Amino acid sequence: MRIGIVSPVVVRFPGTYSEWETGAGADDLGRIAETADRLGYHHLTCSEHVAVPAEAARQRGGAYWDPLATLGYLAARTRRIRLATHVLVLGYHHPLEIAKRYGTLDLISGGRLTLGLGVGSLEEEFELLGVPFEDRGPRADEALAALRASLSRREPEFHGRYYDYSGFVVEPHAVQPRVPLWIGGQTRRSLRRATTHGDGWTPFGLPLETLATMVREAELPDPFDVVFGLGRPVDPSGAPDAAARALERVREAGATVAAVYVAATSAAHYCDQLETLRALGTAIGLDFSPPAPATNPATAPGPTTGPATDPARLGEDA
């Protein structure tokens, strides 16, 4: 199992961030990214919300840095660590918009992009952006099929119910032969999306025992990433035994990657905590070797006439 970092500063979700983050800036984040890169952590994240209703912000938080700008900055300050959107909301973007913008990020980062993608659940934000909410599940299924057919291609082609295109050049595009797609969610439906279209599943909001059961009962492709969050920040220097046990629990539950919040009092302390966490993780057998580029021999499918999924599944709610 590897450890990825839920990036501090860029998202302040209630109960998971430290006070120092409220006044921190890009250079603090960059120092942390450089440290995580040097120590062999798997990935850094940045999530997406365009505008969160004030009432919802009390539960979800209101600070969400733009993932493309943020990860582009971090790409320039790092060399090996992967850059993961965690997650983009599919309904907010045309598939070719994602292919172009994030394909450019993959190019400038040297093939380090992981696209975390989700259906979305904040209805007011959908309405604000003028995108449909009710059929977001079927749209997301088709968008995933379109992305799989279009990423890493100069002249992508896709023909479906919601998205239909051919005869366009997307340049630059992703340089990885197969950009990893991690699918977010908290239902068995999201896990089916992940196994149908993706390279990993990154669930949230469920007890670890439930996640372990869902993974154990699913037929997972090989290779396939199972990305479990630890839920609460770890304090590797102040509570090393608790941190080690939290990592062991998610590994025992079937995770191949642990997504970790780190407790700290400053950016400098955060970097120190990463050093300590690496030593702790190494002692229990976690992997901190340089992340390998995505070299899955499977290539994206050719032009398709529709979403590669069960038609009955398209009619399900999100």
Side-chain angles (χ1 to χ4, degrees), residues 27-51:
D27 191 57
D28 297 300
L29 178 64
R31 289 172 59 198
I32 290 166
E34 289 170 349
T35 301
D37 186 49
R38 173 175 57 81
L39 294 173
Y41 284 88
H42 181 263
H43 70 270
L44 296 160
T45 66
C46 193
S47 190
E48 175 181 56
H49 276 295
V50 176

Side-chain angles (χ1 to χ4, degrees), residues 70-95:
T70 301
L71 296 178
Y73 171 73
L74 295 181
R77 297 206 45 171
T78 57
R79 294 294 177 267
R80 303 183 305 179
I81 197 165
R82 296 197 66 83
L83 308 168
T85 60
H86 199 272
V87 295
L88 290 184
V89 181
L90 284 160
Y92 298 170
H93 310 277
H94 189 282

Side-chain angles (χ1 to χ4, degrees), residues 176-196:
Q176 294 179 84
R178 182 180 175 96
V179 174
L181 305 183
W182 287 353
I183 311 305
Q186 54 184 171
T187 63
R188 295 184 186 276
R189 188 176 300 118
S190 70
L191 179 53
R192 290 200 301 269
R193 280 194 181 98
T195 58
T196 300

Side-chain angles (χ1 to χ4, degrees), residues 85-108:
T85 60
H86 199 272
V87 295
L88 290 184
V89 181
L90 284 160
Y92 298 170
H93 310 277
H94 189 282
L96 289 189
E97 178 187 348
I98 295 175
K100 176 60 173 287
R101 293 181 175 180
Y102 286 89
T104 303
L105 175 60
D106 194 54
L107 172 70
I108 66 172

